[in-house]
Amino acid sequence: MNITVYLGANLGTDPALPQAVQQLGRWIGESGNALVYGGSKSGLMGLLADSVLAAGGRVTGVEPKCFLDAELQHEGLTELIVTEDMPARKTKMIELGDAFIAFPGGTGTLEEIAEVMSKVSLKHLDAPCILYNLNGYYDGLKALLGHMIEMGLSTKERQEGIYFADTLDEIKRILAEK
């Protein structure tokens, strides 16, 4: 399975982030799955790719030309796909993915996973969308989605396929059921 992971190019301030991202990457590599991600060598993105590769896994990076020009790309990937711009990158990452995980990240991560969540809720994408809620990172988003249902602006049925997982074991369980 191609697992598309969205995450930041920064390391963040929580020491649990680098450890958790390396565990995720090691599991992806050892499980026979493949990683699709944004292609950067920086921060959590670089750690994730390195850990998948070190575990013998395949890694496909999808990098927009503007980042390539800034030399932010990871040089050791199994495959690097260069897109014209960020919208083309998002489209390609969704096209390649069989499952989607949002690791804690910034506004770019939020934008990318929001598009996946929308496609899943509209039934335009039949794939699990998992928000890795490490140390409660996505609690606010989880509350917002619940509030949307309470306000009659969404339904539980519309949000089927969107999951919050507090641990890697929960992620494994969700993906095993798919």
Side-chain angles (χ1 to χ4, degrees):
M1 151 182 343
N2 282 338
I3 301 174
T4 298
V5 179
Y6 302 104
L7 71 170
N10 295 318
L11 287 174
T13 58
D14 183 345
L17 294 173
Q19 180 182 357
V21 85
Q22 288 172 320
Q23 290 172 346
L24 175 62
R26 189 167 38 256
W27 171 74
I28 290 172
E30 291 173 352
S31 66
N33 293 309
L35 171 66
V36 175
Y37 86 118
S40 178
K41 64 183 175 186
S42 303
L44 295 171
M45 293 175 75
L47 285 177
L48 179 63
D50 288 343
S51 59
V52 174
L53 292 166
R58 287 184 42 85
V59 178
T60 299
V62 183
E63 189 90 53
K65 197 165 52 173
C66 61
F67 289 166
L68 197 68
D69 294 342
E71 298 182 1
L72 298 174
Q73 75 276 6
H74 192 296
E75 296 295 341
L77 304 179
T78 310
E79 180 179 11
L80 179 65
I81 298 170
V82 178
T83 62
E84 189 62 33
D85 53 24
M86 289 296 284
R89 173 202 207 183
K90 288 192 308 180
T91 299
K92 185 53 120 175
M93 289 175 72
I94 292 170
E95 178 185 300
L96 294 172
D98 300 307
F100 301 86
I101 298 173
F103 194 81
T107 54
T109 300
L110 183 60
E111 178 202 5
E112 290 174 311
I113 202 63
E115 184 168 341
V116 173
M117 291 167 55
S118 179
K119 289 180 178 294
V120 167
S121 71
L122 293 170
K123 309 299 185 226
H124 295 170
L125 182 60
D126 183 19
C129 174
I130 303 168
L131 292 111
Y132 193 163
N133 196 30
L134 184 68
N135 295 334
Y137 188 81
Y138 285 111
D139 283 349
L141 181 56
K142 187 175 186 178
L144 178 59
L145 292 176
H147 187 62
M148 289 175 181
I149 293 170
E150 291 169 10
M151 297 295 296
L153 299 170
S154 186
T155 64
K156 287 184 181 186
E157 294 76 27
R158 290 291 291 268
Q159 293 183 20
E160 287 175 1
I162 301 170
Y163 304 91
F164 290 82
D166 295 333
T167 66
L168 178 55
D169 285 339
E170 287 182 47
I171 291 172
K172 292 176 190 178
R173 182 186 51 76
I174 293 165
L175 293 179
E177 293 173 359
K178 295 297 153 195

